[in-house]
Amino acid sequence: MTTKRKRPKWLLIVSLLAVFAVVAAACGDDEDDAAPPATTAAPESAPAPTDETAAEPALEAPRTQGPGGEEAVASSEVTLSGDEIAEVQAGGYTAALLWHTSGAFTDAVSQGARDAFAELGIEVVAETNADFDAAQQANDVETVMALDPDIIISLAIGPDAGAEAFRPAVDAGVQLVFLSNVPQGYVHGQDYVGIVTDDLAAMGITAADLLADALGGQGEIGYIFHDAAYYVTNQRDQAFKTWIEINYPGIEIVAEQGLADPAAAEEIATAMLTRNPNLDGIYAPWSAGPADGVLAALRAAGASDVALVTMDLDTNVSLDMVEGGNVVGIAADEAYNLGRTMAIEGAYGLLGKPAPAFAVVPAIGVTADNIVEGYRQSLVTDPPQEVLDAIG
């Protein structure tokens, strides 16, 4: 990997002392999958708050919540007993998978659901792809309802359009489990069984730790966040920023810019580099699109020493990382586990067993050193062949 910008020796010593202090403060009991790591304590040498600083609220450790403020429950808690499994297996039930798009992530979620359904004796009678078209998703629901499925798992495209699209399934008593989104006005336990998604705070925290590790806890960074009202990316982005501010005093966010259109990422990153020539790192909100644009800007500027961290496994960023490029880490989720958890929650609905309103799967920190294991844990597959070839 390309060596990052060298620091003066005295700064390195200070940096090491700061890292030792953070590590010592962070040591404590392990927490479950849904809880974020403990907030590190302030150094003993920190000055006593003055009247001015006392008015500033202390930063709180990031915490994952659902779209309606629901508390997160770890996916490991979504289980069935042997008797419950036997009851579902004897029911002759069917399920349909109505996806919003295609790709490696959706394939992994789908495979996790299919495997869990197979173990439960539930037949998958349909799988669709709406290509992010709300009208197509409504048509998919209508088409699939002709097959009379007992369970539908899906990601609703848009809260309002989704509310209308899935209404026929609600009226027919189908057990609905949603990935990340929930249709507007739908009531948990009445219209749908539950929501399953990433541990959003853990994703942001993981990205922050990956970038901080690459920079040795010191440097100036740019922060590109998703500038849209979507709780998934909003919580992930904010968790990254908050975790940097809480735990890495040697890292300063010197540039921030919202991103509404992924195609604007290259332009945003180029402007950041121009205005901040000493930039050491950049955070991009996800890989396919935003991180690709940032990579293009870094390469065009010849900024080989600027570290990049992002979310979600994708071929382009993975290849750059294993080739020693700008990408130093990727925060990913257990996509396969998302599908398994959704399928099990569908069985909850069949049994009349209350499911968590909001369940989350763990985050994974992926680097060049563990990329094969990361792909297998997240997507239950090996990295793309070009990435494997680059690993050698």
Side-chain angles (χ1 to χ4, degrees), residues 4-58:
K4 301 300 174 189
R5 186 181 292 107
K6 293 183 178 180
R7 307 289 179 186
K9 290 183 178 180
W10 66 267
L11 185 55
L12 177 59
I13 292 172
V14 173
S15 173
L16 289 173
L17 290 174
V19 171
F20 292 152
V22 170
V23 171
C27 291
D29 296 335
D30 291 337
E31 298 181 322
D32 62 31
D33 291 336
T39 304
T40 54
E44 293 181 0
S45 59
T50 63
D51 292 339
E52 293 182 359
T53 60
E56 298 179 2

Coordinates of all heavy atoms in Angstrom, one line a residue, residues 4-58:
K4 N 1.5 6.7 3.6 CA 0.9 8.0 3.8 C 1.9 9.0 4.2 O 3.0 8.8 4.5 CB -0.2 7.8 4.9 CG -1.2 6.8 4.5 CD -2.0 7.1 3.3 CE -2.9 6.0 2.9 NZ -3.5 6.2 1.6
R5 N 1.5 10.3 4.1 CA 2.4 11.4 4.4 C 3.1 11.2 5.7 O 2.5 11.0 6.8 CB 1.5 12.7 4.4 CG 2.3 13.9 4.5 CD 1.4 15.2 4.5 NE 0.8 15.3 3.2 CZ -0.5 15.1 3.0 NH1 -1.2 14.6 4.0 NH2 -1.0 15.2 1.8
K6 N 4.4 11.4 5.8 CA 5.2 11.2 7.0 C 4.9 12.4 8.0 O 4.8 13.5 7.6 CB 6.6 11.1 6.7 CG 7.0 9.8 5.9 CD 8.5 9.7 5.7 CE 8.8 8.4 5.0 NZ 10.3 8.3 4.7
R7 N 5.0 12.1 9.3 CA 4.8 13.1 10.3 C 6.1 13.4 11.0 O 7.0 12.5 11.0 CB 3.8 12.7 11.4 CG 2.5 12.2 10.8 CD 1.7 13.3 10.2 NE 0.4 12.9 9.7 CZ -0.4 13.6 9.0 NH1 -0.2 14.9 8.9 NH2 -1.5 13.1 8.5
P8 N 6.3 14.6 11.6 CA 7.5 14.8 12.4 C 7.6 13.8 13.5 O 6.5 13.4 14.0 CB 7.3 16.3 12.9 CG 6.4 16.9 11.9 CD 5.5 15.8 11.4
K9 N 8.8 13.5 14.0 CA 9.0 12.5 15.1 C 8.2 12.9 16.3 O 7.6 12.1 17.0 CB 10.4 12.3 15.4 CG 11.1 11.6 14.2 CD 12.6 11.3 14.6 CE 13.3 10.5 13.4 NZ 14.7 10.2 13.8
W10 N 8.3 14.2 16.7 CA 7.7 14.7 17.9 C 6.2 14.4 17.8 O 5.5 14.1 18.8 CB 8.0 16.1 18.2 CG 7.4 17.1 17.2 CD1 8.0 17.6 16.2 CD2 6.1 17.7 17.3 NE1 7.1 18.5 15.5 CE2 5.9 18.5 16.2 CE3 5.0 17.5 18.1 CZ2 4.8 19.2 15.9 CZ3 3.8 18.2 17.9 CH2 3.7 19.1 16.8
L11 N 5.6 14.7 16.6 CA 4.1 14.5 16.5 C 3.8 13.0 16.5 O 2.7 12.6 17.1 CB 3.7 15.1 15.1 CG 2.2 15.0 14.8 CD1 1.4 15.8 15.9 CD2 1.9 15.7 13.5
L12 N 4.7 12.1 16.0 CA 4.4 10.7 16.1 C 4.4 10.2 17.6 O 3.5 9.4 18.0 CB 5.5 10.0 15.4 CG 5.4 8.4 15.4 CD1 4.1 8.0 14.8 CD2 6.6 7.8 14.6
I13 N 5.3 10.8 18.4 CA 5.3 10.4 19.8 C 4.0 10.8 20.5 O 3.4 10.1 21.2 CB 6.5 11.0 20.5 CG1 7.8 10.4 20.0 CG2 6.5 10.8 22.0 CD1 9.1 11.1 20.4
V14 N 3.6 12.1 20.2 CA 2.3 12.5 20.8 C 1.2 11.7 20.3 O 0.3 11.3 21.1 CB 2.1 14.0 20.4 CG1 0.7 14.5 20.9 CG2 3.2 14.9 21.1
S15 N 1.2 11.3 19.1 CA 0.1 10.5 18.5 C 0.1 9.1 19.2 O -1.0 8.7 19.6 CB 0.4 10.3 17.0 OG -0.5 9.4 16.5
L16 N 1.2 8.5 19.4 CA 1.3 7.2 20.1 C 0.7 7.3 21.5 O 0.0 6.4 21.9 CB 2.7 6.7 20.1 CG 3.2 6.2 18.7 CD1 4.7 5.9 18.8 CD2 2.4 5.1 18.2
L17 N 1.1 8.4 22.2 CA 0.6 8.5 23.6 C -0.9 8.7 23.6 O -1.6 8.1 24.4 CB 1.3 9.8 24.2 CG 2.8 9.6 24.5 CD1 3.4 10.9 25.0 CD2 3.0 8.5 25.6
A18 N -1.4 9.4 22.6 CA -2.9 9.6 22.5 C -3.6 8.3 22.2 O -4.6 8.0 22.8 CB -3.2 10.6 21.4
V19 N -3.0 7.5 21.3 CA -3.6 6.2 21.0 C -3.6 5.3 22.2 O -4.6 4.6 22.5 CB -2.8 5.5 19.8 CG1 -3.3 4.1 19.7 CG2 -3.0 6.3 18.6
F20 N -2.5 5.3 23.0 CA -2.4 4.4 24.2 C -3.5 4.8 25.2 O -4.1 4.0 25.8 CB -1.0 4.5 24.8 CG 0.1 3.9 24.0 CD1 1.4 4.4 24.1 CD2 -0.2 2.9 23.2 CE1 2.4 3.8 23.4 CE2 0.8 2.3 22.4 CZ 2.1 2.8 22.5
A21 N -3.7 6.2 25.3 CA -4.7 6.7 26.2 C -6.1 6.2 25.8 O -6.9 5.8 26.6 CB -4.7 8.2 26.3
V22 N -6.4 6.3 24.5 CA -7.7 5.9 24.0 C -8.0 4.4 24.2 O -9.0 4.0 24.6 CB -7.9 6.3 22.5 CG1 -9.1 5.7 21.9 CG2 -7.9 7.8 22.3
V23 N -6.9 3.6 23.9 CA -7.1 2.2 24.1 C -7.4 1.8 25.5 O -8.2 1.0 25.8 CB -5.8 1.4 23.5 CG1 -5.9 0.0 23.9 CG2 -5.7 1.6 22.0
A24 N -6.6 2.4 26.4 CA -6.7 2.1 27.8 C -8.1 2.5 28.3 O -8.8 1.8 29.1 CB -5.7 2.9 28.7
A25 N -8.6 3.7 27.9 CA -9.9 4.1 28.3 C -11.1 3.3 27.7 O -12.1 3.2 28.3 CB -10.1 5.6 27.9
A26 N -10.8 2.7 26.5 CA -11.9 2.0 25.9 C -12.1 0.6 26.3 O -13.1 0.0 26.0 CB -11.7 2.0 24.3
C27 N -11.1 0.1 27.1 CA -11.2 -1.3 27.5 C -12.4 -1.5 28.5 O -12.6 -0.7 29.4 CB -9.9 -1.7 28.2 SG -8.5 -1.9 27.1
G28 N -13.1 -2.6 28.3 CA -14.3 -2.8 29.2 C -15.0 -4.1 28.8 O -14.4 -4.8 28.0
D29 N -16.1 -4.3 29.3 CA -16.9 -5.5 29.0 C -17.3 -5.5 27.6 O -17.7 -4.4 27.0 CB -18.1 -5.6 29.9 CG -17.7 -5.7 31.4 OD1 -16.6 -6.2 31.6 OD2 -18.5 -5.4 32.3
D30 N -17.5 -6.7 27.0 CA -18.0 -6.8 25.6 C -19.5 -6.5 25.6 O -20.2 -6.7 26.6 CB -17.8 -8.2 25.1 CG -16.3 -8.5 24.8 OD1 -15.5 -7.5 24.7 OD2 -16.0 -9.7 24.9
E31 N -20.0 -5.9 24.5 CA -21.4 -5.6 24.4 C -22.0 -6.5 23.3 O -21.3 -7.1 22.5 CB -21.6 -4.1 24.1 CG -21.0 -3.2 25.2 CD -21.2 -1.8 24.8 OE1 -21.1 -1.4 23.7 OE2 -21.5 -1.0 25.7
D32 N -23.3 -6.5 23.3 CA -24.0 -7.3 22.3 C -24.0 -6.6 20.9 O -23.5 -5.5 20.8 CB -25.4 -7.7 22.7 CG -26.3 -6.4 22.9 OD1 -26.1 -5.4 22.1 OD2 -27.2 -6.5 23.7
D33 N -24.5 -7.3 19.9 CA -24.3 -6.9 18.5 C -25.0 -5.5 18.3 O -24.6 -4.7 17.5 CB -25.0 -7.9 17.5 CG -24.2 -9.1 17.5 OD1 -23.0 -9.1 17.8 OD2 -24.8 -10.2 17.1
A34 N -26.1 -5.3 19.0 CA -26.9 -4.1 18.7 C -26.4 -2.8 19.4 O -26.8 -1.7 19.1 CB -28.4 -4.3 19.2
A35 N -25.5 -3.0 20.4 CA -25.0 -1.9 21.2 C -23.7 -1.3 20.6 O -22.8 -2.1 20.3 CB -24.8 -2.3 22.7
P36 N -23.5 0.0 20.5 CA -22.3 0.5 20.0 C -21.2 0.4 21.1 O -21.5 0.2 22.3 CB -22.6 2.0 19.8 CG -23.7 2.3 20.7 CD -24.5 1.0 20.8
P37 N -19.9 0.4 20.7 CA -18.8 0.4 21.6 C -18.9 1.5 22.6 O -19.5 2.6 22.4 CB -17.6 0.6 20.7 CG -18.0 0.1 19.4 CD -19.5 0.5 19.3
A38 N -18.3 1.3 23.8 CA -18.4 2.3 24.9 C -17.7 3.5 24.5 O -16.6 3.5 23.9 CB -17.8 1.7 26.2
T39 N -18.2 4.7 25.0 CA -17.5 5.9 24.7 C -16.3 6.0 25.6 O -16.3 5.7 26.8 CB -18.5 7.1 25.1 OG1 -19.7 7.0 24.4 CG2 -17.8 8.4 24.8
T40 N -15.2 6.5 25.0 CA -13.9 6.6 25.7 C -14.0 7.8 26.7 O -14.6 8.8 26.4 CB -12.7 6.7 24.8 OG1 -13.0 7.8 23.9 CG2 -12.5 5.5 24.0
A41 N -13.3 7.6 27.8 CA -13.3 8.7 28.8 C -12.4 9.8 28.4 O -11.4 9.6 27.6 CB -12.9 8.2 30.2
A42 N -12.6 11.0 28.9 CA -11.8 12.2 28.6 C -10.5 12.0 29.3 O -10.4 11.5 30.4 CB -12.5 13.5 29.0
P43 N -9.3 12.5 28.8 CA -8.0 12.4 29.5 C -8.1 13.1 30.8 O -8.8 14.1 30.9 CB -7.1 13.1 28.5 CG -7.7 13.0 27.2 CD -9.2 13.1 27.5
E44 N -7.3 12.7 31.8 CA -7.4 13.3 33.1 C -6.9 14.8 33.1 O -7.3 15.6 33.9 CB -6.5 12.5 34.1 CG -7.0 11.1 34.4 CD -6.2 10.4 35.4 OE1 -5.1 11.0 35.8 OE2 -6.5 9.3 35.7
S45 N -6.1 15.1 32.0 CA -5.5 16.4 31.9 C -6.5 17.4 31.3 O -6.2 18.5 31.1 CB -4.2 16.4 31.1 OG -4.5 15.8 29.8
A46 N -7.7 16.9 30.9 CA -8.6 17.8 30.2 C -9.0 19.0 31.2 O -9.2 18.7 32.4 CB -9.9 17.0 29.9
P47 N -9.1 20.2 30.7 CA -9.4 21.3 31.5 C -10.8 21.3 32.1 O -11.7 20.7 31.4 CB -9.2 22.5 30.6 CG -9.4 22.0 29.2 CD -8.9 20.6 29.3
A48 N -11.0 21.8 33.3 CA -12.3 21.9 33.8 C -13.2 22.8 33.0 O -12.7 23.8 32.4 CB -12.2 22.4 35.3
P49 N -14.5 22.4 32.8 CA -15.3 23.2 31.9 C -15.5 24.6 32.5 O -15.7 24.8 33.7 CB -16.7 22.5 32.0 CG -16.6 21.6 33.2 CD -15.2 21.3 33.4
T50 N -15.5 25.6 31.6 CA -15.7 27.0 32.0 C -17.2 27.3 31.8 O -17.9 26.4 31.3 CB -14.9 27.9 31.1 OG1 -15.3 27.8 29.7 CG2 -13.4 27.6 31.2
D51 N -17.6 28.5 32.1 CA -19.0 28.9 31.9 C -19.4 28.7 30.4 O -20.5 28.4 30.1 CB -19.2 30.3 32.3 CG -19.1 30.5 33.8 OD1 -19.2 29.4 34.5 OD2 -18.9 31.6 34.3
E52 N -18.4 29.0 29.5 CA -18.7 29.0 28.1 C -18.8 27.5 27.6 O -19.7 27.1 26.9 CB -17.6 29.7 27.3 CG -17.6 31.2 27.5 CD -16.5 31.9 26.6 OE1 -15.8 31.2 25.9 OE2 -16.4 33.1 26.7
T53 N -17.8 26.7 28.0 CA -17.8 25.3 27.5 C -18.9 24.5 28.2 O -19.4 23.5 27.6 CB -16.5 24.6 27.8 OG1 -16.2 24.6 29.2 CG2 -15.4 25.3 27.1
A54 N -19.3 24.9 29.4 CA -20.4 24.1 30.1 C -21.7 24.2 29.4 O -22.5 23.3 29.5 CB -20.5 24.7 31.6
A55 N -21.9 25.2 28.6 CA -23.1 25.4 27.9 C -23.2 24.5 26.7 O -24.3 24.3 26.1 CB -23.3 26.9 27.4
E56 N -22.1 23.9 26.3 CA -22.1 23.0 25.1 C -22.4 21.6 25.5 O -21.7 21.0 26.4 CB -20.7 23.0 24.4 CG -20.3 24.4 23.9 CD -18.9 24.4 23.2 OE1 -18.3 23.3 23.2 OE2 -18.5 25.4 22.8
P57 N -23.4 21.0 25.0 CA -23.8 19.6 25.4 C -22.7 18.6 25.0 O -22.1 18.7 23.9 CB -25.1 19.4 24.6 CG -25.1 20.3 23.4 CD -24.3 21.5 23.9
A58 N -22.5 17.6 25.9 CA -21.5 16.6 25.6 C -22.0 15.7 24.5 O -23.2 15.4 24.4 CB -21.2 15.8 26.8

